[in-house]
Amino acid sequence: MTEADVRAPDGDTGLPAGGPEATSDLLSAEIDAAFSPAGPLAAKLPGYRPRAQQLAMAHAIARAIAGRERLVAEAGTGTGKTFAYLVPALLAGGKVIVSTGTKTLQDQLYERDLPLVRDALASPVTLALLKGRANYVCLHHLERTGREDRLPSRDDVRHLPKIVRWAQATERGDRAELGDVPDNASIWGAVTSTRDNCLGSNCGHYRDCFVMKARKDALDADVVVVNHHLFFADVMLRDEGIAELLPACNTVILDEAHQLPDTATTFFGEQTTAGQLADLARDAEVAARTTLSDVPDLPDAAADITPAIRKLRLAGGDLPAKLPRAAALARPGFTEALDALAAAIDRVATELGHYAERSEDLASVASRADEIARRVAHWRDAGDAPDESGERWIRWLDVTPHGFQLHASPLSVAGLFRRQLDASARAWIFTSATLAVGGDFSHYTRALGLDDAATGAWESPFDYGAQALLYVPRGLPEPNTPAHTEAVIDAVLPVLEASRGRAFLLFTTLRALARAKERLVDALPAIGIDGPLLVQGESSKTELLERFRRAGNAVLLGSASFWEGVDVAGDALSVVVIDKLPFAPPDDPLLAARLKALADDGGNPFRDWQIPQAAISLKQGAGRLIRTETDRGVLVIGDPRLVDKPYGKTLWRSLPPMRRTREIDDVREFFGVRGRSTVDA
């Protein structure tokens, strides 16, 4: 797609320049110079080659920044979208917030990409990295945890002295610096703060607080890198420091923007989790043993919360499930368990409230108890009527293997998000590799209230016709049948034999993943694959990917967390298998409510929601395959609906333009394999 193909919301080509014409022309000339073969980027980047798509995208973003417009920009893999937005943002000047979907990309931007672009452009901008408060050690909670000397596990006892020593030497307090303590270690919950238990300016360590230092650095910086969870938590809750950044901000760039509708739904809504309740119970019990040891009724009140949590989880059912509020309340014993939990929290809130003035810690715990009591009561008592602003809410229960979550979610985030956009005039750039379906952005723009945003799509510069093959095996059963997973593995084995492993197998359910593992443990050695079989959950995602890259011939089984944000370039990954088309389960209460509302308004839920969502998810999974101009690989989709159903054409047309086949011999030829197959023998 060329620069002129960017579409304004009224259908005219191009974007309004906005601002003085001379400024726009000067910025355009500077962008041309920056991306030229003899320009500053070429001087800094070995092997740099100009890409027409990258340059066109950079010009579109520059015009949106100059005009303080909203631009939704899809950039195919290999376009170089990061530099396409960083260069115009730095050249245009002003304060810039860049938000990403993952901490990995956040760190990459701050540690590598931004310094490189800044140095190449000889720009004087200052940079800051701002993470959520859970990433910074809290000196108050660290001191309190050490003083209490009642840690729940031996690992916690072993890790605490390391954290204490590190906290005395670190400048940033970012727990990512401390490699000796695993990121998932339970001790971190006791030595970091949350929005609920932070004492703010009343804390004795306020002057040395790492969160406050990070916020100050962000306020002083020209470019601030955050992630979506932090961005929305603060925009909604005014908690993490971004609310102070936004008034002075000229440009907001939201990378990996396909995640925004789900992230916004989480942060516009309310969640009360078993973990939050357990933390409240723990802190109330600590108060009963220490500061309030003279209050006779508090120990029993605090002790009542934990069994009430357990009782409610049991009433939720034996299996993980997502239940609408009405269905949850109809379960035997659930309403009684919920009432018992609410009563226990109310009692703790009342007891703590009498003595909150004794210390800031007590005041914080009492405030949390009041807020949690309010949320639980509202979830129990609220009906389905719209709230005072006219927004409709869906309340539902998520039962997990070890806990539960009480959710209150907005039926749509479009109006809520639009109010944030309209609060002040600034440029908003939404970018990702997967925002449109067949060039149509309407599904995405409707979801976020971006109906008046300009849109643009730039195709990947990769030669997918030569580099990739799409293979849909013949004879597979329908994906909802018990035989489907076995049949997919049978069909994939000759592919893995031809590729000598080097594959991601991505599954839409954990049950299918587990079955595939059972089968492949013996099947892979039988076809001569001696590389490791790596399975999601058996180690951290980072460690699994490192082992995959090092092995060079591994097979990795993954589910949702490996569908996006995973980059394995080169020969180590030559096959991506997707077992089913990624349609969201229709029994999800929030999805079911949205589909019903769409039907009530005269729409077609399957055509207008489920197909676009599946297309975007499918593009994300397929995007793991080709990461560079020299990568080659086969995408296997084990779902006959892709070719048998009329909507299948919409889905495969949303994928990169790779060759298609249904013959295993074409796959073998792609990998240069001839002769008899072990699988066929």
Side-chain angles (χ1 to χ4, degrees):
M1 174 169 285
T2 66
E3 181 179 346
D5 288 320
V6 179
R7 298 285 170 177
D10 61 0
D12 294 331
T13 59
L15 292 172
E21 194 68 35
T23 302
S24 180
D25 290 344
L26 177 61
L27 184 56
S28 179
E30 289 177 325
I31 289 171
D32 284 337
F35 287 101
S36 71
L41 290 176
K44 280 285 184 181
L45 283 170
Y48 172 83
R49 288 195 298 171
R51 283 165 277 187
Q53 297 93 334
Q54 185 180 53
L55 181 60
M57 182 179 176
H59 277 296
I61 289 172
R63 290 197 303 275
I65 291 174
R68 298 197 172 188
E69 301 289 336
R70 296 155 192 170
L71 173 65
V72 179
E74 180 177 271
T77 305
T79 301
K81 64 179 169 63
T82 303
F83 285 10
Y85 63 69
L86 289 181
V87 168
L90 267 59
L91 289 174
K95 195 173 188 78
V96 180
I97 295 176
V98 182
S99 181
T100 74
T102 61
K103 291 180 185 177
T104 301
L105 181 56
Q106 187 183 8
D107 289 336
Q108 176 184 311
L109 277 164
Y110 179 73
E111 302 287 351
R112 189 187 75 184
D113 295 340
L114 263 167
L116 191 153
V117 173
R118 178 186 60 184
D119 294 347
L121 300 177
S123 172
V125 299
T126 54
L127 312 176
L129 177 68
L130 185 60
K131 297 182 178 181
R133 64 170 67 251
N135 291 277
Y136 302 97
V137 69
C138 172
L139 296 173
H140 169 75
H141 288 290
L142 179 63
E143 180 181 83
R144 192 188 75 166
T145 299
R147 187 172 60 244
E148 289 169 2
D149 197 30
R150 286 177 63 106
L151 295 172
S153 73
R154 291 181 179 178
D155 283 342
D156 289 348
V157 172
R158 182 165 49 88
H159 292 322
L160 183 60
K162 297 178 183 178
I163 297 175
V164 170
R165 289 193 297 271
W166 164 74
Q168 293 169 348
T170 180
E171 292 185 6
R172 290 170 51 190
D174 184 345
R175 64 193 239 189
E177 298 172 355
L178 186 59
D180 286 350
V181 179
D183 189 57
N184 61 352
S186 59
I187 186 65
W188 287 120
V191 299
T192 56
S193 68
T194 67
R195 183 175 70 96
D196 294 328
N197 66 21
C198 174
L199 304 182
S201 59
N202 295 315
C203 178
H205 297 276
Y206 185 75
R207 287 180 176 273
D208 299 316
C209 175
F210 293 117
V211 172
M212 297 311 301
K213 286 180 180 179
R215 290 183 179 182
K216 183 180 183 305
D217 289 345
L219 283 170
D220 294 339
D222 300 305
V223 181
V224 185
V225 183
V226 300
N227 62 56
H228 298 336
H229 283 262
L230 172 62
F231 183 84
F232 276 100
D234 194 63
V235 169
M236 301 310 111
L237 304 174
R238 298 295 189 268
D239 176 54
E240 303 288 355
I242 296 178
E244 299 170 87
L245 297 176
L246 279 173
C249 176
N250 302 82
T251 303
V252 176
I253 299 170
L254 298 151
D255 200 346
E256 298 177 309
H258 61 279
Q259 299 179 6
L260 293 180
D262 287 342
T263 307
T265 297
T266 298
F267 284 100
F268 280 119
E270 287 185 347
Q271 299 84 36
T272 302
T273 71
Q276 292 170 348
L277 294 165
D279 287 345
L280 174 64
R282 180 198 65 202
D283 290 346
E285 288 170 356
V286 168
R289 292 197 311 267
T290 56
T291 317
L292 298 182
S293 58
D294 58 329
V295 179
D297 292 336
L298 184 57
D300 288 343
D304 285 346
I305 294 179
T306 299
I309 296 171
R310 191 177 305 116
K311 183 178 179 182
L312 187 65
R313 170 60 188 86
L314 292 173
D318 296 333
L319 299 176
K322 295 180 178 181
L323 302 172
R325 170 181 165 277
L329 293 175
R331 287 193 60 83
F334 187 88
T335 299
E336 294 79 0
L338 186 62
D339 288 343
L341 176 62
I345 299 168
D346 283 339
R347 186 181 174 196
V348 165
T350 300
E351 292 290 341
L352 290 172
H354 292 321
Y355 305 96
E357 74 282 354
R358 286 194 183 182
S359 74
E360 296 298 337
D361 269 338
L362 283 177
S364 174
V365 179
S367 175
R368 282 163 55 202
D370 282 338
E371 172 61 17
I372 290 175
R374 181 199 66 79
R375 292 204 303 261
V376 170
H378 197 212
W379 192 93
R380 179 190 59 197
D381 300 333
D384 295 328
D387 64 16
E388 59 276 7
S389 66
E391 298 290 346
R392 287 188 57 195
W393 292 75
I394 304 301
R395 290 172 176 82
W396 51 286
L397 169 72
D398 187 1
V399 180
T400 61
H402 304 294
F404 60 83
Q405 299 173 349
L406 301 174
H407 288 272
S409 304
L411 187 64
S412 169
V413 299
L416 295 163
F417 188 62
R418 181 59 187 245
R419 287 198 281 276
Q420 303 299 323
L421 295 177
D422 291 341
S424 60
R426 64 175 56 90
W428 291 81
I429 311 298
F430 303 81
T431 185
S432 169
T434 53
L435 296 174
V437 179
D440 181 4
F441 288 88
S442 59
H443 177 73
Y444 183 80
T445 55
R446 267 199 313 268
L448 289 178
L450 295 170
D451 298 325
D452 60 349
T455 60
W458 291 269
E459 294 177 357
S460 169
F462 298 158
D463 183 359
Y464 279 96
Q467 292 179 249
L469 183 69
L470 170 60
Y471 172 49
V472 182
R474 295 186 185 277
L476 292 176
E478 289 298 310
N480 59 349
T481 60
H484 179 260
T485 299
E486 289 280 353
V488 169
I489 298 303
D490 287 341
V492 165
L493 284 173
V495 179
L496 299 180
E497 183 183 35
S499 67
R500 304 183 308 282
R502 305 185 296 150
F504 276 6
L505 275 62
L506 304 178
F507 296 89
T508 53
T509 67
L510 293 176
R511 183 181 303 170
L513 187 154
R515 182 67 195 99
K517 175 192 172 183
E518 292 175 5
R519 177 77 189 284
L520 290 172
V521 166
D522 295 323
L524 290 179
I527 59 172
I529 306 298
D530 57 0
L533 177 64
L534 306 174
V535 183
Q536 175 182 318
E538 294 183 348
S539 187
S540 72
K541 181 178 176 180
T542 301
E543 183 177 340
L544 287 174
L545 288 172
E546 283 302 313
R547 290 176 61 191
F548 186 90
R549 293 186 182 100
R550 284 198 308 268
N553 62 345
V555 174
L556 185 147
L557 311 184
S559 63
S561 63
F562 284 88
W563 278 64
E564 60 178 281
V566 173
D567 192 350
V568 180
D571 291 340
L573 179 59
S574 296
V575 173
V576 169
V577 178
I578 295 175
D579 72 330
K580 297 179 185 179
L581 297 177
F583 287 109
D587 58 347
D588 179 281
L590 183 56
L591 174 61
R594 286 175 170 168
L595 296 181
K596 182 179 184 303
L598 192 59
D600 291 344
D601 290 340
N604 183 314
F606 187 70
R607 180 196 65 210
D608 299 338
W609 186 281
Q610 290 173 284
I611 290 177
Q613 286 288 100
I616 290 171
S617 296
L618 189 64
K619 281 203 291 185
Q620 278 291 330
R624 302 313 99 214
L625 183 63
I626 304 297
R627 307 301 298 176
T628 72
E629 293 173 340
T630 58
D631 284 357
R632 296 180 76 252
V634 173
L635 172 65
V636 183
I637 298 180
D639 194 326
R641 294 175 294 181
L642 191 68
V643 292
D644 294 345
K645 300 294 185 182
Y647 58 80
K649 184 178 292 186
T650 300
L651 297 175
W652 64 252
R653 281 182 173 173
S654 294
L655 296 172
M658 55 187 75
R659 290 184 293 134
R660 303 189 306 277
T661 186
R662 305 205 69 185
E663 307 301 332
I664 186 61
D665 285 343
D666 290 336
V667 175
R668 293 180 176 128
E669 182 179 347
F670 182 89
F671 286 118
V673 175
R674 290 177 174 80
R676 187 167 180 171
S677 165
T678 302
V679 181
D680 294 339

